[in-house]
Amino acid sequence: MKEIYLVDDEITNLRVAENCLRDKYKLKLLTGGKQLFVMLERSIPDLILLDIQMPEMDGIAVMEILRNHENYNKIPVVFLTANTDKEVVMHALSLGATDYIAKPFDVNQLPVRIAKVIGKD
């Protein structure tokens, strides 16, 4: 089963995404960038769903580290964010994000969009 790391500082957002995806994917729920990098030392997921606006380390900073690290730069990243400012989205995509999904997201659309990126088992 393909594995997704969901990274968001809001537990409610993690739970909603988990409910949409848990039947099709193995999920790890993470509340920030630091926790993500600890998990990446253990295993590499098939996809990272990443919030942009988080305390400590925002999603843009996380993405910059991912893309500049030889072990992590090939992991597909989809931003799942309430920040739909065009400049922020374009910057995120220019860093190598595969896609972005605006929050609140459609619970029926999320699994379909994720399957387009990594497929399903």
Side-chain angles (χ1 to χ4, degrees), residues 8 22 37 52 54-55 61 65 67 79 90 92 95 117 119:
D8 196 314
R22 70 175 166 220
F37 289 110
I52 289 178
M54 297 184 291
I65 294 168
R67 290 303 173 244
F79 281 107
M90 292 307 295
L95 291 172
V117 175

Side-chain angles (χ1 to χ4, degrees), residues 22-103:
R22 70 175 166 220
D23 292 338
K24 296 176 177 72
Y25 304 99
K26 181 179 174 186
L27 305 171
K28 295 273 190 239
L29 308 182
L30 310 168
T31 58
K34 290 180 182 180
Q35 195 177 23
L36 170 65
F37 289 110
V38 169
M39 288 303 301
L40 287 172
E41 289 178 18
R42 298 178 190 162
S43 69
I44 302 296
D46 297 290
L47 174 74
I48 297 172
L49 271 178
L50 181 62
D51 186 25
I52 289 178
Q53 295 176 295
M54 297 184 291
E56 294 183 11
M57 183 186 301
D58 68 23
I60 298 296
V62 170
M63 187 68 183
E64 288 172 341
I65 294 168
L66 289 170
R67 290 303 173 244
N68 288 308
H69 193 289
E70 67 180 293
N71 294 333
Y72 310 144
N73 62 13
K74 301 285 191 243
I75 304 169
V77 175
V78 173
F79 281 107
L80 187 59
T81 184
N83 189 339
T84 56
D85 178 273
K86 194 174 196 172
E87 287 183 28
V88 173
V89 170
M90 292 307 295
H91 182 60
L93 292 172
S94 75
L95 291 172
T98 305
D99 199 359
Y100 84 96
I101 299 170
K103 290 190 282 189

